[in-house]
Amino acid sequence: MVGVLLIVPLIGALAVALCRSDLRARWIALGFTAVELLISLVMWWKFDLSKPGFQFVEVANWLPNLSVKYKVGVDGLSLIMVVMTTLLTFVAVASAWSYIERRRKLFYALLLMLETAMVGVFVSLDLLLFYIFWEAMLIPMALIIGIWGGERRIYSALKFFIYTFAGSIFLLIGMVVLVIVYGGLTGQYTFDIQQLTAVKLPVELQKWLFWAFFLAFAVKVPVFPFHTWLPDAHVEAPTPGSVILAGVLLKMGTYGFLRFSLPLFPDAYREFAPVIFALGVVAIIYTALVALVQDDVKKVVAYSSVSHMGFVMIGLFSLNVQGIEGAVFQMLNHGLVSAALFFLVGAIYERLHTRSIRKMGGLAEFAPKLATLAMLFTMANVGLPGTSSFIGEFLTILGGFKAATWVGVLMALGVIFGAAYMLYMYRNVFFLEPKILSFKDLNRREFLALALLAVLVVWWGFNPEFVMKYIHTYTAALLRGV
C-alpha cells in the first residue's frame, strides 16, 4: 500500500503531462490528489494501534552490493505526516485553481512529483532512499517558486535552493560517516534505519554527527538563525507553493530530528538541548516582534510560522512525554492552520492585487464568509482553547517548563506576542474604515477547501485523542529506546 502511495502521484504527473488541455489538467491533478488522500486515509483506518513499530512494511533489494534496499513503512509519527501531506496537497490544488493562469500542465505535474517526494521522505526506512527523496523535493519546489512566484521569484528560488542544498551536504557527509562507523562496529555495512538506530555510538562521535544532521534539519525547519530564506520564499511563492512550504516542507526538519537525531545520538541530543532551547526562545520572541511591524500580510504569516516552529523545537528537545507529544501535535496543527492562512492571503491577493495591510480595511463588510473563516484560523494561530493549536502549544509549554522553568516562562511570553500581531493584522484587514469600494467573497470551491481545514482544527481541538493515540504509540517506543 505504501508503494501505491508513491506511484499514484507520478502516474498523475504523467497523465497531466500527456493531457492536451490546460483546463483539464487541473481536474486530473485534483482527481489524483483525491485518490492519494483516500489511500492514506485507508492506511490510517487499517493501522493497528496495539502493535508498536512500523506497519505496511515493503522490502526489496535495490543495490545489493552497497546494502541499499527499497524499504518503506509507517509508524504512528510517519502515518500522521503522510495523511497531512496528502490532505494539504489536495488543498494546494484547490488553491491553485484560478491563481495559476499560465503553464498549468507543468505546474500540476511538478506539484504531483513533489507529493511523491514528500511522502517518500516520511515512509523511507532506508537512509539512502530517505536522502534521495529529501533532495528530490528541492527541484520541483524551487521551480514552483521560480516560475509562478512574484517579482523577486528568481532570487527567492535560488536562496531557497542554496540554503537547503547546503544543509543537505552536511547530511550526506554525516550519513556516510555513520554507515562506515556502523560497519566498523558490526562488520556489516547497511543503510537500514532500524539497524542503524539499534547500535550505541561513542559519545564523542555522536556529538560530531549530531551537528552534521542538525545543520540539514535546522535549515529546513527553519531554526534561528537559519530562517532568513523562509520569509522570502513565502512572500514570492504562489499560494499553493506557500501552502506546501508551510504545511509540509517545514515539518521535514522536525521529523528528521525525531526519526534520526534522537534515536541515533541520544547523549549528544541531551547535552546540546540547552543550546536548542536558547535558539527556540529567540525564534519565538524575535520573529514575533518582527511580525508585529510588518505591513505585508504574507510576511506576518511567514514570520508567525518561524515563531511557532520554535515551540516545536523546544518540545522536541524537552525529552519528556508532554513536550514531544505536544511538538508532534503542533507539527500537525501548524500544517493545517498556516496552510489555511496562506490560502486566505492568496484569496485576498487575487482580488485586491496587494498584500499591504494599510491598503485594506473593512473586508468583513464585503466578505462575511472569508472574514468568519479568517477569524477562526486567526484564533487558532494564537492558541485559543477549543482549537487544535491550544493543545499543541499547551503541551509544548508544559514540556518546556518541565525541562527548564525559564524556557516555559519565555514560551508563554511568546504566546502573548503572537496574539498581538495576529489580532492587529485581523483588525486592520477586516475592520476599521474600508479603503476599497468592493470585494468579492469566497467562492464555493474556496469555501469548501477552507471549511475542511476549519472542521479539523475545531474537531481536534475538542477531541485531540483522535490524533494523540497515534502519537502515544510512537512516543512511548521512542523514549523507551533512549
Side-chain angles (χ1 to χ4, degrees):
M1 185 172 281
V2 178
V4 176
L5 269 178
L6 295 172
I7 291 172
V8 165
L10 292 180
I11 297 173
L14 182 63
V16 166
L18 295 176
C19 172
R20 293 184 177 180
S21 163
D22 266 12
L23 292 178
R24 198 179 301 161
R26 60 189 186 184
W27 281 106
I28 294 173
L30 188 68
F32 274 94
T33 52
V35 170
E36 183 82 344
L37 175 59
L38 286 174
I39 296 170
S40 67
L41 290 176
V42 171
M43 284 178 61
W44 180 289
W45 183 260
K46 289 188 172 181
F47 190 83
D48 189 345
L49 288 167
S50 65
K51 294 181 181 176
F54 292 93
Q55 298 178 32
F56 307 105
V57 175
E58 299 169 7
V59 186
N61 279 327
W62 181 24
L63 300 170
N65 292 335
L66 296 175
S67 301
V68 178
K69 296 177 182 175
Y70 164 78
K71 186 175 181 181
V72 294
V74 294
D75 60 1
L77 173 66
S78 46
L79 180 63
I80 288 172
M81 294 296 111
V82 166
V83 173
M84 184 181 71
T85 302
T86 57
L87 171 64
L88 292 182
T89 309
F90 177 74
V91 171
V93 173
S95 73
W97 207 257
S98 54
Y99 194 98
I100 302 298
E101 296 178 331
R102 58 190 175 87
R103 305 178 75 175
R104 286 191 175 101
K105 288 167 58 177
L106 178 60
F107 174 82
Y108 289 116
L110 288 172
L111 191 62
L112 286 161
M113 287 191 284
L114 179 62
E115 184 173 27
T116 287
M118 293 188 295
V119 171
V121 165
F122 293 129
V123 302
S124 293
L125 296 180
D126 183 278
L127 197 51
L128 188 61
L129 190 64
F130 169 85
Y131 185 78
I132 290 170
F133 283 124
W134 178 274
E135 290 293 276
M137 292 182 306
L138 296 185
I139 295 174
M141 194 68 235
L143 288 175
I144 286 173
I145 297 171
I147 296 175
W148 292 275
E151 292 181 0
R152 298 174 70 241
R153 56 186 180 276
I154 301 299
Y155 166 79
S156 299
L158 282 174
K159 192 173 180 181
F160 161 76
F161 187 87
I162 291 170
Y163 265 68
T164 48
F165 185 70
S168 299
I169 291 173
F170 291 97
L171 177 61
L172 181 62
I173 295 170
M175 280 172 46
V176 171
V177 173
L178 177 64
V179 171
I180 292 173
V181 170
Y182 178 87
L185 291 173
T186 64
Q188 179 189 4
Y189 293 92
T190 181
F191 287 87
D192 189 306
I193 293 171
Q194 289 173 293
Q195 291 184 37
L196 290 170
T197 52
V199 168
K200 174 82 171 176
L201 298 172
V203 175
E204 280 304 312
L205 181 65
Q206 284 190 35
K207 292 177 184 176
W208 287 104
L209 289 178
F210 172 86
W211 288 113
F213 280 68
F214 174 86
L215 287 171
F217 300 147
V219 169
K220 194 76 84 178
V221 170
V223 173
F224 177 89
F226 305 105
H227 67 287
T228 58
W229 65 268
L230 183 69
D232 287 323
H234 269 314
V235 169
E236 298 303 323
T239 298
S242 294
V243 168
I244 295 297
L245 260 177
V248 184
L249 260 65
L250 304 192
K251 313 304 177 302
M252 302 286 179
T254 48
Y255 175 82
F257 283 118
L258 280 174
R259 178 65 71 215
F260 298 103
S261 299
L262 181 52
L264 285 168
F265 324 119
D267 298 314
Y269 200 92
R270 286 191 197 90
E271 182 170 337
F272 295 123
V275 178
I276 310 304
F277 289 159
L279 294 177
V281 165
V282 171
I284 292 170
I285 304 291
Y286 168 71
T287 52
L289 292 174
V290 173
L292 197 55
V293 297
Q294 298 301 315
D295 181 53
D296 186 322
V297 283
K298 209 169 184 182
K299 278 191 175 179
V300 175
V301 181
Y303 280 110
S304 167
S305 280
V306 181
S307 184
H308 281 91
M309 292 309 287
F311 286 89
V312 176
M313 287 301 296
I314 291 173
L316 294 181
F317 280 80
S318 66
L319 283 173
N320 54 58
V321 173
Q322 293 82 5
I324 291 178
E325 291 191 350
V328 176
F329 198 91
Q330 184 68 352
M331 286 162 64
L332 182 62
N333 163 70
H334 179 266
L336 300 181
V337 174
S338 59
L341 288 171
F342 279 115
F343 194 128
L344 286 165
V345 170
I348 293 172
Y349 182 75
E350 271 190 72
R351 290 156 173 79
L352 294 181
H353 300 291
T354 180
R355 294 190 298 265
S356 172
I357 294 173
R358 282 175 296 182
K359 295 179 181 176
M360 299 181 196
L363 296 192
E365 183 178 324
F366 304 101
K369 286 189 289 188
L370 189 150
T372 304
L373 285 169
M375 169 64 85
L376 172 66
F377 291 118
T378 300
M379 292 297 104
N381 203 45
V382 303
L384 188 75
T387 65
S388 54
S389 298
F390 174 74
I391 307 298
E393 286 192 356
F394 174 76
L395 287 175
T396 52
I397 293 173
L398 184 59
F401 263 111
K402 290 184 73 173
T405 304
W406 67 271
V407 173
V409 171
L410 291 174
M411 290 173 78
L413 187 62
V415 174
I416 297 171
F417 288 139
Y421 65 72
M422 287 305 295
L423 293 177
Y424 172 81
M425 181 183 73
Y426 186 83
R427 168 181 170 271
N428 285 26
V429 170
F430 290 96
F431 293 100
L432 299 183
E433 191 67 25
K435 299 180 181 66
I436 54 175
L437 298 176
S438 65
F439 186 85
K440 196 175 178 182
D441 205 351
L442 295 173
N443 59 38
R444 185 179 300 175
R445 169 185 52 80
E446 294 168 326
F447 180 78
L448 289 175
L450 288 166
L452 173 62
L453 298 180
V455 168
L456 293 177
V457 167
V458 175
W459 180 26
W460 291 344
F462 283 97
N463 185 23
E465 191 58 23
F466 182 80
V467 176
M468 277 296 183
K469 58 189 178 185
Y470 291 86
I471 303 175
H472 292 323
T473 60
Y474 165 76
T475 310
L478 178 71
L479 291 179
R480 270 198 306 272
V482 299

